[in-house]
Amino acid sequence: MRHAFGLALFFVLAFTTAAYAQESENAAESVEKLRAQLIDVQAQEQDLRTRLEQLEESLKPENIERSLAGVGSTRPEELRESRRRQLTIERNGVAAQLRTLEEGKVRLEAALANAEARAYQQSARRPEPEGMMVMAGGVGYGWLMAGGGGVAVLALAAGVLIYRRKLRVH
């Protein structure tokens, strides 16, 4: 019974310290990933804005006329109207993509701000002076002391239980 309890306690402490170290690394990694995503979104946004400007320019009546100059037809009005509709549909699609991308960019910027704050809080929460030893796996002095204190409390509790049993036997 005591061995099972001790083993369970060991696993809890081991996985808790590993999760804490990973959380710290993940916050910094998350900030870098979000920054890279934000750069990608900004590049896509710029491409869409450029395409939208091109479509706006192509929609001008003189440019529609110029684009159809080499095409012969008995109904040039219908051709111009068809080209205008086609460009309008494409422009509306690009504008919708741009709106969606801008909404995603706002959410990404908020997530980046949260990740930066989380990374800052984690770095401020665990100050480790230069002379302080850090054990393998990122377990710092504070965790070592907390684990040692927990073991001491458990040893004391076990001692009290053993003492009580000996009193009952005698």
Side-chain angles (χ1 to χ4, degrees):
M1 172 87 171
R2 280 184 277 168
H3 296 300
F5 181 71
L7 191 59
L9 177 67
F10 171 75
F11 282 118
V12 168
L13 288 174
F15 289 124
T16 302
T17 56
Y20 182 77
Q22 288 175 354
E23 181 182 331
S24 173
E25 291 173 8
N26 288 342
E29 290 174 4
S30 176
V31 168
E32 292 305 316
K33 287 178 185 176
L34 289 171
R35 282 185 183 153
Q37 288 177 359
L38 185 59
I39 290 170
D40 289 342
V41 166
Q42 288 171 338
Q44 290 174 0
E45 182 181 24
Q46 186 58 41
D47 291 344
L48 287 174
R49 287 189 190 284
T50 301
R51 182 65 185 141
L52 190 60
E53 289 174 11
Q54 291 171 348
L55 289 169
E56 291 290 344
E57 186 65 27
S58 295
L59 272 167
K60 292 182 178 177
E62 61 270 14
N63 291 331
I64 291 175
E65 189 73 37
R66 194 175 305 127
S67 71
L68 297 173
V71 179
S73 174
T74 57
R75 298 182 178 165
E77 304 84 31
E78 289 179 10
L79 278 178
R80 285 191 295 269
E81 182 59 28
S82 173
R83 179 70 178 153
R84 187 191 64 73
R85 269 188 268 125
Q86 179 187 16
L87 290 171
T88 301
I89 290 169
E90 188 175 352
R91 180 196 64 191
N92 293 343
V94 169
Q97 285 178 337
L98 188 58
R99 282 190 301 275
T100 303
L101 197 62
E102 287 171 345
E103 291 170 0
K105 181 181 169 187
V106 169
R107 286 191 299 271
L108 192 58
E109 288 171 341
L112 178 60
N114 288 337
E116 286 174 340
R118 198 170 54 249
Y120 174 76
Q121 289 171 351
Q122 287 176 357
S123 69
R125 193 173 34 196
R126 288 187 22 181
E128 295 176 359
E130 290 181 21
M132 187 171 290
M133 182 175 78
V134 176
M135 299 179 68
V139 180
Y141 184 74
W143 281 103
L144 184 62
M145 293 304 289
V151 170
V153 167
L154 287 174
L156 182 62
V160 167
L161 287 174
I162 292 171
Y163 181 72
R164 283 185 169 180
R165 283 189 183 174
K166 283 186 179 182
L167 287 178
R168 285 186 202 162
V169 172
H170 289 23

